[in-house]
Amino acid sequence: MPSIDIHVLDGVFSKEEKADIILRVTDAFGHIAGEKIKSGTSVRIHEVSSGAWGYGGEVLTTAAARNMRERG
């Protein structure tokens, strides 16, 4: 069945926020794909170490990601 992988920087989201992300992504996918497929959907959150991810030639850090979240 469907498998959804989400990559985030380590230490940006709390345990509760990650659980909420998993539930909401599963619900959103199920809304489109249907309940039968939703029940077999796997969602995984992969936490990447600070400094081990780059975007647009810039190295991303946990501190920078937290600042992005604070700014909205």
Side-chain angles (χ1 to χ4, degrees):
M1 295 310 275
S3 175
I4 300 168
D5 290 296
I6 300 168
H7 294 80
V8 298
L9 284 166
D10 186 38
V12 176
F13 297 97
S14 70
K15 180 179 177 180
E16 294 79 17
E17 289 171 323
K18 289 183 280 187
D20 194 34
I21 290 167
I22 291 168
L23 292 174
R24 288 176 185 239
V25 168
T26 302
D27 285 343
F29 190 78
H31 179 74
I32 302 301
E35 286 299 315
K36 187 166 265 202
I37 292 176
K38 175 185 172 183
S39 67
T41 299
S42 171
V43 178
R44 291 177 300 268
I45 296 178
H46 304 275
E47 293 185 292
V48 179
S49 298
S50 182
W53 189 345
Y55 179 79
E58 298 292 324
V59 176
L60 299 177
T61 64
T62 297
R66 286 182 180 157
N67 286 336
M68 281 189 258
R69 284 194 75 197
E70 289 174 8
R71 291 191 316 256

